[in-house]
Amino acid sequence: MTWDTAALHAAMPFTALLGATVVEVTPAQVRLRLEWDSGRCTAGGLLHGGALMGLADAAGGLCAFLNLPEGATGTATISSATNFLRGVRAGHVEAVSRPLQVGRTVVVVETEVRDTEGRAAAKVTQTQAVLRS
């Protein structure tokens, strides 16, 4: 399957609501982008932490899905730890997810969220349960 923005939105409808777009999708790395928009902000014009977390969760979930072991049918986030490192007031952010550990029952993914200048805005580590039908 080719993962473009339309495919992402079809597979994960929340990403369309969020406004996420695809930059790169491979099993080794998933990169999604979110443009700064006043509708995604909290007080003071900062991109809302929930928007950053939503983007990171979507990128991490897709990365985990692309690394599923044989016989698995999907994933579900069972834990997620976020460290916010910098506020974002303009431009865009990109979430880059990479698998840390791929197992039979869980996949652990690390996601870096960076601003337009490449500065770290957040770091997320999540554990995805491996689902089987």
Side-chain angles (χ1 to χ4, degrees), residues 41-91:
C41 289
T42 187
L46 290 169
L47 196 57
H48 194 284
L52 297 175
M53 291 172 65
L55 183 68
D57 186 62
L62 181 53
C63 185
F65 179 78
L66 294 173
N67 286 280
L68 284 173
E70 177 112 9
T73 58
T75 70
T77 305
I78 56 175
S79 75
S80 183
T82 303
N83 290 295
F84 295 106
L85 306 170
R86 168 183 303 281
V88 178
R89 295 181 191 271

